[in-house]
Amino acid sequence: MSLSLTIALLLEYSEDSSVKTKSLLLKSVLDSAGFSPTEIKFNRNCHDFHDFVDNQLIDDVDTIYVGSRAEGIAGGLYYSGEQSDIDAILTFFQECKVYDNDSLNMLSEKEQQDFLENIPKEIEEHLISFALHDREFPGYMMIVWPPSVPLYINNEKIELKTWLDCPYGIVRPSFLPNECAYKLVRQQLAEDLNITKDITNKFEQNGPALTEKCFDNDSNSQTLVSDNVACLGYDYWPSCANNWINRSKDTGWPTEQIIEQVVAEKCLLAPVGHFNSSNKTIQWRLSMRGENVLFGVLNNVQKYCYIMLKIVMKDRIRPLFYRDNENDILSSYCLKNLIFWCAEKEKLNWTYSNLIGCLQTCIQKLIKFLKERYLPHYFIEERNLFNSNLTPTLSTSLQVVLHDFKDNIMDILYLKSFETLQEFSGNFCPELLEKASERSVILQCWDDKIKRLYLDFTTFQLFWLKYDRYPSLESIQKYKDILNKIENYKGTTVFKNEYTVLINSIIGMLSYSLYRQIPQQKQILDEAIKYLDLTKKSPRSCILLRLANFFFMERKFESAIDVCSDISSQIIDITPPKRVWDKVNQSQVYLLTLLLSMKTKSLRKLKEAILATCYSKEIRNGLPLEYYYILDEFKNGMFMQPHFKVTYMTAEMWAVPDVIKYELLSVPEKLKTFYEDRFPCPKYDDVPSIRLHPLLNCYLLQYLCYEALGRRKLCHEVLTKINYLTAKEATVDKNCVLFYNIVAYCNKKSGYYRKATKYILRSLKTKPSRRNAAFGYLKSIIHQSLTLVREWNISSN
């Protein structure tokens, strides 16, 4: 072998080795920033399962979540880039059935005649409209609206529009304007979007979406962004996308099976027209629901390329745009379509060791599209994802920036998105990156669980939506069905135990309440015991106190006392809503401090153990004993004593002590938790509830149990504790009346009428109404006093 050839081979080997080393370093950086396959999988599983549970609890709501959060690529603790918003697609006008005009034209004359004859039957249930394809702008549709059917949204009549130079030969057609969709996006309070601080929300139109921005009134900082898109359902696969099904796939991606899944998802119609169209006010853009399926089957390296392109776009390219209408030239959606094209066309070695080569190929393909000023939609090739805002000058500028990144690919590490990680890892030290990657997963699991606990147990009371006013077998069956669906969920469940224990409590208490109404049905009592028994090991005081109520009503006073003693021995504090996230952050900071001192092997073991707990699996990985307390905190405590208010529904009235029963009977009409325009559920007035502070509930049950057992000394001790409580420290939902009434009830029961009267008067002053249970207590005390006076008069005579 010649010397020159040997030198050339050595240089080639050296270059390949360098590419591999840099590729693996880039992978480590992405993993540490929250984009590891493990973390992406966890985030996606978590989102999918919780969305599934919510859909079981809310009837007739079809919300589709898309974008980075739903895909699991929003980044982790060490990611300092732009935070992803919530992208929600809301289907509306379910009563409207949209037929595809092209599909109808493909029918024979007889088939068309049969179809038209059957339409009147459907009109009884649906509004009938037709979607016409815009030939000039493929991928856009116009909706022909029946002119005889007036359209109202929020009592405002929507004016239909015409299509200039309509080529379909329709005489004076009326078309549905896309702007009507913006009126349908509910301007819901920030509390509906999982924000529990005092906020101000602002709304802006952004393409097909109405963007809601929430601001913290204290710091004036932006807390959340939600893009809500109201779409029309469209039960067809459009003819303009048939070529995608049939065209040859150079790399064999996607497979025939995946293509069938994507096509089966059908489409939606998003309310936005083409930027360059003169008819853009009546155009509706086709949106393929199966894009989520397609993104889900990209391999890890393809997802990495998409993530890095997004980071380059947000951190480097977007600042080049001087005008607002240029910001969407190179959107995340454009980059996603680019990755789809690369996955189908580029025969690359999509491996971690070739990550840089793959990314460079993707950038080169994007440069080619920019040079041509034509980026074809992946499904509808005739639709150009670039519009006239992409001028030749701007296209050249973008190509220069991308060429620079392609030639100096490691410059990506020094963009804004990795600033925090760079500082934390000592300028990307491999050993520190490995530790950061393990910590990122642990902190993501911790963050998601703690927020789920507070939202589902405190802020969002979705679990109570299936209640009827009275206990019934039908209502119990609803919850059994939900439980069964969760148990048989086809995907991966996340924090399933938190949900199943709450549903078991609901089924148990409903069954017991029904049994107390119909005591001869012993099998219903057996059902109640069966389900409530499954809640005994719950770490949540709000679940255990419901169980203690059952023990009290069944006169199992010692069991009720045991439950309450464990709870009252803790310092119970319900964090005010405004400070929930402060407590969440404190918990995470404390956890991070603990993790920083741990070695890589121990971190990995803890991560595996916490992931197993999230997925309700057994832990068998040899986690060092000294770190089990962190795992126990993850299961139960979260370093912040998460005690939640205890909810009792009217349907559970027969399963609770008299004092709580009286309160349920006197729930004021204004006590609404749900907004009527948000969920299609019964008016909350029809299914009232009360929510107690756990400490007040605990002391009440202890007092009643000791009083029933005749333990006067212990009864007096608990009553003293109750009397020392203040409304501020034992009240939830600002319901001071409930607190005053319970304290008055206990004092009245012990014969301390003067003290009871004091609390009754405070209650009536706060809410002067005959519906206030205190009014009944006052009558009782007056009656008791008059009886004593009569007895004294008789004895004195």
Side-chain angles (χ1 to χ4, degrees):
M1 185 182 292
S2 67
L3 180 62
S4 60
L5 181 58
T6 302
I7 292 172
L9 288 172
L10 285 171
L11 287 171
E12 183 179 349
Y13 173 79
S14 176
E15 185 177 345
D16 287 347
S17 178
S18 175
V19 168
K20 180 179 179 180
T21 301
K22 289 178 179 177
S23 292
L24 294 177
L25 173 61
L26 199 52
K27 174 193 179 298
S28 295
V29 170
L30 287 165
D31 288 351
S32 304
F35 301 108
S36 67
T38 301
E39 198 161 338
I40 290 174
K41 182 181 178 181
F42 172 77
N43 287 335
R44 184 159 185 172
N45 285 337
C46 197
H47 178 277
D48 290 348
F49 179 60
H50 295 146
D51 186 37
F52 169 81
V53 172
D54 287 351
N55 286 335
Q56 306 313 307
L57 296 167
I58 307 170
D59 295 323
D60 303 322
V61 172
D62 187 14
T63 302
I64 303 164
Y65 293 96
V66 296
S68 297
R69 288 182 180 245
E71 292 157 356
I73 56 171
L77 171 77
Y78 299 105
Y79 176 65
S80 50
E82 182 181 321
Q83 294 299 306
S84 300
D85 54 14
I86 296 173
D87 299 301
I89 296 175
L90 315 166
T91 56
F92 71 103
F93 286 161
Q94 282 87 350
E95 69 277 13
C96 175
K97 195 158 187 178
V98 181
Y99 288 102
D100 181 274
N101 190 66
D102 276 9
S103 298
L104 297 180
N105 288 336
M106 292 172 65
L107 299 175
S108 67
E109 209 169 297
K110 183 177 185 308
E111 287 173 329
Q112 287 189 29
Q113 184 64 34
D114 291 341
F115 170 79
L116 293 171
E117 287 176 358
N118 285 322
I119 279 184
K121 299 176 184 177
E122 292 205 58
I123 287 178
E124 295 177 9
E125 297 181 4
H126 299 281
L127 289 171
I128 302 300
S129 58
F130 292 89
L132 308 180
H133 293 256
D134 193 325
R135 307 302 180 197
E136 184 181 357
F137 297 97
Y140 289 84
M141 316 281 282
M142 272 69 64
I143 311 299
V144 180
W145 190 264
S148 60
V149 181
L151 175 62
Y152 290 89
I153 297 175
N154 296 332
N155 298 321
E156 179 183 344
K157 186 175 182 180
I158 303 299
E159 295 297 329
L160 303 179
K161 297 191 176 183
T162 57
W163 182 359
L164 302 175
D165 305 318
C166 177
Y168 284 87
I170 304 174
V171 181
R172 299 181 66 184
S174 299
F175 292 96
L176 187 66
N178 52 42
E179 64 187 20
C180 72
Y182 303 117
K183 300 179 186 298
L184 286 162
V185 177
R186 297 177 297 275
Q187 298 187 1
Q188 50 204 13
L189 298 177
E191 186 178 346
D192 293 339
L193 290 171
N194 299 353
I195 290 295
T196 53
K197 290 187 175 185
D198 283 347
I199 58 88
T200 300
N201 39 348
K202 299 177 182 177
F203 299 89
E204 299 172 1
Q205 189 172 323
N206 177 22
L210 193 65
T211 300
E212 180 173 14
K213 296 182 179 180
C214 302
F215 297 87
D216 182 353
N217 287 340
D218 295 330
S219 62
N220 202 31
S221 59
Q222 188 168 291
T223 57
L224 179 138
V225 177
S226 174
D227 278 341
N228 302 296
V229 184
C231 291
L232 272 173
Y234 184 68
D235 200 27
Y236 293 91
W237 181 261
S239 57
C240 55
N242 282 337
N243 183 56
W244 173 74
I245 301 173
N246 302 317
R247 73 176 177 236
S248 175
K249 310 294 191 293
D250 296 352
T251 62
W253 185 95
T255 63
E256 290 292 330
Q257 183 183 5
I258 297 302
I259 291 171
E260 289 176 7
Q261 288 180 34
V262 172
V263 172
E265 290 288 326
K266 307 294 177 61
C267 298
L268 294 167
L269 293 171
V272 64
H274 192 282
F275 180 82
N276 298 325
S277 173
S278 59
N279 290 307
K280 57 187 174 188
T281 60
I282 59 170
Q283 286 177 326
W284 295 71
R285 189 171 68 199
L286 278 165
S287 175
M288 279 62 177
R289 295 181 61 156
E291 282 176 2
N292 280 351
V293 174
L294 210 55
F295 186 85
V297 296
L298 289 172
N299 68 31
N300 293 331
V301 175
Q302 290 161 345
K303 289 177 182 176
Y304 279 151
C305 289
Y306 173 60
I307 290 164
M308 285 187 288
L309 285 170
K310 282 186 68 172
I311 288 171
V312 171
M313 182 263 292
K314 290 182 177 182
D315 290 357
R316 182 68 180 92
I317 292 176
R318 191 167 284 173
L320 298 175
F321 298 142
Y322 298 107
R323 293 176 296 180
D324 289 341
N325 59 1
E326 294 176 343
N327 281 332
D328 62 347
I329 287 174
L330 202 57
S331 64
S332 297
Y333 189 67
C334 291
L335 299 177
K336 186 178 289 185
N337 276 265
L338 168 71
I339 295 297
F340 289 161
W341 280 115
C342 290
E344 180 185 314
K345 297 293 185 185
E346 303 299 326
K347 295 181 179 180
L348 295 169
N349 181 23
W350 294 98
T351 59
Y352 295 135
S353 58
N354 190 40
L355 178 56
I356 285 177
C358 295
L359 181 58
Q360 287 174 325
T361 300
C362 293
I363 292 175
Q364 186 58 50
K365 196 168 190 72
L366 179 57
I367 290 170
K368 171 182 174 292
F369 287 142
L370 285 166
K371 191 173 183 179
E372 297 169 352
R373 292 165 60 204
Y374 195 97
L375 170 54
H377 187 278
Y378 181 63
F379 295 103
I380 306 167
E381 290 183 66
E382 294 79 11
R383 177 184 159 199
N384 183 9
L385 292 176
F386 295 145
N387 57 45
S388 57
N389 277 333
L390 182 62
T391 62
T393 303
L394 190 54
S395 173
T396 302
S397 299
L398 292 173
Q399 291 174 59
V400 169
V401 174
L402 290 169
H403 266 299
D404 184 49
F405 264 106
K406 178 174 156 297
D407 296 337
N408 303 281
I409 206 75
M410 299 308 285
D411 285 355
I412 288 174
L413 297 184
Y414 299 96
L415 292 174
K416 178 185 175 183
S417 290
F418 298 119
E419 283 178 355
T420 301
L421 185 60
Q422 181 186 0
E423 179 183 351
F424 227 93
S425 63
N427 204 25
F428 308 115
C429 168
E431 183 181 350
L432 294 176
L433 284 176
E434 187 178 3
K435 287 185 177 181
S437 178
E438 304 297 339
R439 284 194 298 263
S440 184
V441 178
I442 294 170
L443 287 158
Q444 182 60 55
C445 294
W446 192 280
D447 178 83
D448 205 86
K449 178 168 183 178
I450 198 169
K451 286 180 178 176
R452 280 283 151 197
L453 284 175
Y454 271 93
L455 297 173
D456 291 326
F457 280 81
T458 299
T459 304
F460 267 4
Q461 297 282 327
L462 296 184
F463 285 89
W464 314 108
L465 282 177
K466 297 288 185 181
Y467 265 76
D468 296 322
R469 188 174 182 90
Y470 301 101
S472 64
L473 292 173
E474 291 76 13
S475 187
I476 293 167
Q477 189 59 47
K478 290 176 189 176
Y479 284 99
K480 286 183 178 179
D481 290 342
I482 293 171
L483 192 61
N484 183 57
K485 287 175 182 176
I486 290 175
E487 295 290 348
N488 293 288
Y489 177 65
K490 292 181 180 179
T492 305
T493 62
V494 186
F495 311 138
K496 181 181 76 170
N497 292 344
E498 298 290 348
Y499 297 124
T500 55
V501 107
L502 181 52
I503 296 173
N504 283 326
S505 175
I506 287 172
I507 296 173
M509 287 292 278
L510 268 177
S511 299
Y512 185 61
S513 188
L514 182 60
Y515 162 74
R516 297 277 299 186
Q517 264 196 300
I518 318 170
Q520 61 270 28
Q521 295 196 17
K522 180 73 166 51
Q523 73 276 12
I524 299 178
L525 175 61
D526 294 338
E527 283 274 286
I529 295 170
K530 168 188 166 185
Y531 284 97
L532 287 171
D533 192 58
L534 296 171
T535 71
K536 286 180 179 179
K537 294 183 180 179
S538 173
R540 309 288 161 232
S541 57
C542 59
I543 300 293
L544 294 174
L545 285 166
R546 288 165 57 83
L547 174 64
N549 265 289
F550 164 76
F551 286 143
F552 171 78
M553 296 298 289
E554 279 293 286
R555 303 189 64 79
K556 297 179 181 180
F557 301 124
E558 296 294 349
S559 297
I561 289 169
D562 287 343
V563 172
C564 293
S565 296
D566 290 339
I567 294 170
S568 62
S569 64
Q570 307 167 39
I571 301 171
I572 296 183
D573 171 45
I574 290 189
T575 307
K578 292 181 186 178
R579 293 201 298 275
V580 162
W581 301 131
D582 294 336
K583 293 279 281 185
V584 168
N585 292 335
Q586 288 170 21
S587 173
Q588 291 170 327
V589 169
Y590 182 60
L591 173 65
L592 179 57
T593 304
L594 295 173
L595 298 181
L596 288 173
S597 63
M598 292 176 66
K599 294 181 180 179
T600 305
K601 185 178 180 181
S602 299
L603 280 169
R604 188 174 298 116
K605 294 289 186 182
L606 180 61
K607 176 198 72 178
E608 291 168 357
I610 282 180
L611 279 170
T613 302
C614 292
Y615 294 138
S616 303
K617 296 179 180 177
E618 289 188 22
I619 305 163
R620 297 178 181 175
N621 71 341
L623 175 68
L625 290 176
E626 63 265 32
Y627 296 119
Y628 256 93
Y629 76 98
I630 299 178
L631 182 61
D632 289 339
E633 281 292 335
F634 178 73
K635 292 178 181 178
N636 305 326
M638 312 297 290
F639 300 128
M640 54 188 297
Q641 300 171 342
H643 296 282
F644 309 108
K645 44 197 164 189
V646 193
T647 302
Y648 298 105
M649 306 296 291
T650 304
E652 296 170 346
M653 193 183 304
W654 293 267
V656 295
D658 287 346
V659 59
I660 298 178
K661 185 183 295 186
Y662 299 153
E663 295 302 324
L664 283 167
L665 285 168
S666 64
V667 173
E669 290 182 8
K670 67 179 181 180
L671 189 62
K672 288 187 180 183
T673 298
F674 306 110
Y675 302 100
E676 292 174 24
D677 63 341
R678 170 134 205 219
F679 300 122
C681 64
K683 285 185 178 180
Y684 202 59
D685 287 344
D686 295 337
V687 196
S689 74
I690 57 170
R691 288 188 280 183
L692 272 70
H693 192 291
L695 191 57
L696 179 62
N697 196 173
C698 188
Y699 284 164
L700 170 65
L701 287 171
Q702 284 182 315
Y703 170 81
L704 293 174
C705 287
Y706 289 137
E707 194 261 347
L709 291 168
R711 299 179 187 173
R712 294 185 180 180
K713 184 179 178 182
L714 291 172
C715 188
H716 180 74
E717 287 178 6
V718 175
L719 183 60
T720 302
K721 292 178 182 178
I722 292 174
N723 285 327
Y724 270 113
L725 288 175
T726 65
K728 186 177 181 181
E729 64 189 1
T731 297
V732 295
D733 299 335
K734 298 180 180 179
N735 191 0
C736 295
V737 169
L738 176 61
F739 168 76
Y740 294 143
N741 290 353
I742 287 177
V743 178
Y745 176 89
C746 294
N747 278 286
K748 169 185 170 290
K749 202 168 183 62
S750 288
Y752 298 120
Y753 297 119
R754 187 169 183 177
K755 193 163 283 188
T757 304
K758 179 182 75 172
Y759 284 107
I760 287 170
L761 293 175
R762 286 183 186 176
S763 175
L764 289 171
K765 185 177 180 181
T766 305
K767 181 179 176 283
S769 166
R770 285 181 176 271
R771 297 196 63 175
N772 186 342
F775 187 80
Y777 299 152
L778 185 62
K779 283 177 64 178
S780 175
I781 289 174
I782 292 171
H783 178 73
Q784 183 72 29
S785 300
L786 289 174
T787 302
L788 288 172
V789 170
R790 290 192 194 100
E791 289 175 357
W792 180 77
N793 286 332
I794 292 170
S795 62
S796 63
N797 290 330

